[in-house]
Amino acid sequence: MDDGFEQVQTALLERLESLEIENCNLRQESDTQRRKYEKCLDDVANQVVRAILSQKGLREEIASLRRKLRDTECANIALSGLLVPDSSRTVLHLGHLHLVPPAPSITALVREGKRA
């Protein structure tokens, strides 16, 4: 009976040693995977931050370009007013050309018997 007990004890000790080695390997593998996942998560977080900052910069640039466009359109209106003869009564409004019919002269109104 003693031999059978020792054999069982030896087999159990070998199995225990084998399981401890496997457990150690699994812990190392788990640590390696955890580090990889943490690095991947850090990379994704950094990309998100860069995308948000880029989006903010683009929004600011768009707003700036819209202001410049409005300023340029206003300047074009002012310059067009100086360049286009007054008799045609051409009005530029934010980049769109609108022709306004000339106002009747005072002499034309008097001829028609109307008062200005």
Side-chain angles (χ1 to χ4, degrees):
M1 253 293 197
D2 238 358
D3 280 342
F5 178 73
E6 285 181 21
Q7 286 178 344
V8 170
Q9 188 178 12
T10 304
L12 287 175
L13 287 174
E14 288 174 0
R15 179 71 176 138
L16 179 61
E17 186 179 331
S18 169
L19 289 173
E20 285 177 347
I21 291 170
E22 185 179 347
N23 189 29
C24 182
N25 290 338
L26 288 173
R27 280 186 187 159
Q28 288 176 349
E29 186 179 327
S30 174
D31 286 344
T32 302
Q33 286 295 328
R34 183 182 46 78
R35 280 189 224 107
K36 285 181 183 178
Y37 290 138
E38 287 174 355
K39 184 182 182 316
C40 182
L41 187 59
D42 286 345
D43 290 345
V44 169
N46 287 332
Q47 288 177 6
V48 168
V49 168
R50 281 195 303 269
I52 289 170
L53 292 175
S54 175
Q55 185 179 29
K56 181 182 176 188
L58 289 172
R59 282 187 179 145
E60 290 172 357
E61 188 174 345
I62 287 171
S64 173
L65 289 171
R66 284 184 177 153
R67 282 190 299 274
K68 287 179 182 180
L69 178 63
R70 272 194 306 266
D71 292 347
T72 302
E73 287 172 339
C74 288
N76 283 344
I77 291 169
L79 289 173
S80 294
L82 295 174
L83 297 175
V84 175
D86 227 10
S87 62
S88 68
R89 305 254 314 166
T90 303
V91 177
L92 289 174
H93 179 67
L94 295 177
H96 301 289
L97 181 65
H98 299 284
L99 293 176
V100 178
S105 66
I106 293 176
T107 54
L109 290 173
V110 170
R111 274 188 228 142
E112 293 179 15
K114 299 178 183 174
R115 293 194 167 191

